[in-house]
Amino acid sequence: MTDRFETLTVHAGAEPDPQTGAVVPPIQMSTTFKQDGVGGLRSGYEYGRSGNPTREALEAAIASLENGTHGLAYASGLAATQNVFYLLEPGDRLLMSDDVYGGTWRLADKVWRRYGIQTDAIDLRDLDAVAAAFAAEHPPRMVWIETPSNPLLKIIDISAVARLAAVAGAITVVDNTFATPYLQRPLETGADLVLHSATKYLGGHSDVIGGLVVTRSEELAERLRFHQNAAGAVPSPFDCFLVMRGLRTLAVRMERACANALVLALWLADRPEVSAVNYPGLADGPTAELVERQMRLPGAMLSFEHAGGEEAARGFAGATRLFTLAESLGAVESLIELPAPMTHASVSDSPLAVTNSLVRLSVGIENVDDLRDDLEAAFGASGS
Ligand SMILES: Cc1ncc(COP(=O)(O)O)c(C=O)c1O
């Protein structure tokens, strides 16, 4: 019998401890494990970097929630990204969405380029451009999709891109940080790997940095597992425990945050201070159909262009009371930021640059009337 998603969030990876019956998997801090004679491992554990029961509980939980078979946990989302890049060889090309987290682009373009990996950014919504990239003489070995994307909330058709990639023998990776497996499960629509900054919705409380990767491929899992141990960017058992605790409430947090975001997106779209709202729930035409097909709900992230320009956007972002001016996203509390000078400062000189008047909101689970009042007061206070 297969449990439904909400049930899995509560129970996945959380078998009561066989020794004590503890219903919360214990945090196993030991870095090494006694051997009964050389190589005589009691339950497969040898050394904490190579394997740890608390980490394995988290890895089992995320594999189950993403409907994959292998989960891997890392010290951060970027450590997870780094491990995925280890699947590439010098001379390989990486095709990336032209709107991704700035740090992902920085890692590809500023670090991996030095080791012979060429990254090209295109708008992956343009399937003709994707097809052309894969038809090139030297096609990409990997395609990197972020959908909804950060910070413009573009929606990319995962199954269409994955089909084109598969024909060319390329690996499709989906950064599912913004959607979470509650809203979309990329492995079910053809992706080979799904990646998370667990720092965001999965942890959910702005108190842990972590990364996760899930796959159904034995071969990819084996290669990732090798580098997880060989390069060593593993999370602490305590961090794994915190992400596990966050996962338990993922479904209810997402429901509430998405409902709040829709209310605020509609309200912002009517404000004179706002010239454009980026929110998948406001899409129309083919994009609306894609959101409907690909996502359970349109998410809790949105961004908008402040009609007053950069100074007005800065004034507004500094004038909220409940929306905390801070980087990051996906927690119970609402956050506000300006991507250009903050999360996306590292892409200012790249094809991924965004305008200085773009404001990004991570909508939390507070009372939505309070959130709207806060935004309204900030428009008033910032004179915009
Ligand atoms: C979509 C996305 N992917 C990856 C990352 C990187 O994750 P971390 O900060 O946990 O390294 C972030 C961080 O903001 C992100 O927003």
Side-chain angles (χ1 to χ4, degrees), residues 57-130:
L58 170 61
E59 292 178 334
I62 192 63
S64 160
L65 294 182
E66 285 287 3
N67 203 358
T69 48
H70 303 273
L72 296 105
Y74 300 92
S76 68
L78 278 178
T81 304
Q82 170 86 346
N83 261 253
V84 171
F85 289 171
Y86 284 136
L87 296 171
L88 297 167
E89 300 291 336
D92 281 349
R93 293 183 89 102
L94 169 61
L95 185 64
M96 193 171 268
S97 226
D98 66 354
D99 188 49
V100 295
Y101 168 58
T104 306
W105 171 260
R106 179 179 55 199
L107 181 61
D109 192 57
K110 298 269 190 317
V111 179
W112 281 81
R113 191 178 292 277
R114 300 206 321 266
Y115 298 94
I117 308 290
Q118 157 89 31
T119 303
D120 302 299
I122 65 166
D123 188 340
L124 295 180
R125 292 176 304 179
D126 180 349
L127 294 176
D128 291 338
V130 177

Side-chain angles (χ1 to χ4, degrees), residues 72 74 83-89 92 141-142 171 193 215 217-231:
L72 296 105
Y74 300 92
N83 261 253
V84 171
F85 289 171
Y86 284 136
L87 296 171
L88 297 167
E89 300 291 336
D92 281 349
R141 284 283 304 137
M142 178 181 284
I171 299 168
L193 297 174
T215 183
S217 154
E218 190 72 43
E219 188 236 325
L220 291 176
E222 203 176 301
R223 289 165 66 195
L224 289 166
R225 188 77 65 199
F226 171 79
H227 282 114
Q228 182 193 41
N229 181 49

Side-chain angles (χ1 to χ4, degrees), residues 16-29:
D17 180 39
Q19 210 174 0
T20 63
V23 296
V24 175
I27 304 172
Q28 178 52 266
M29 293 302 284

Side-chain angles (χ1 to χ4, degrees), residues 76-78 101 104 146 150 175 177-178 197 199-200 209-210 329:
S76 68
L78 278 178
Y101 168 58
T104 306
E146 230 187 73
N150 182 2
D175 182 335
T177 299
F178 269 35
S197 167
T199 314
K200 312 297 176 349
I209 300 278
L329 60 109

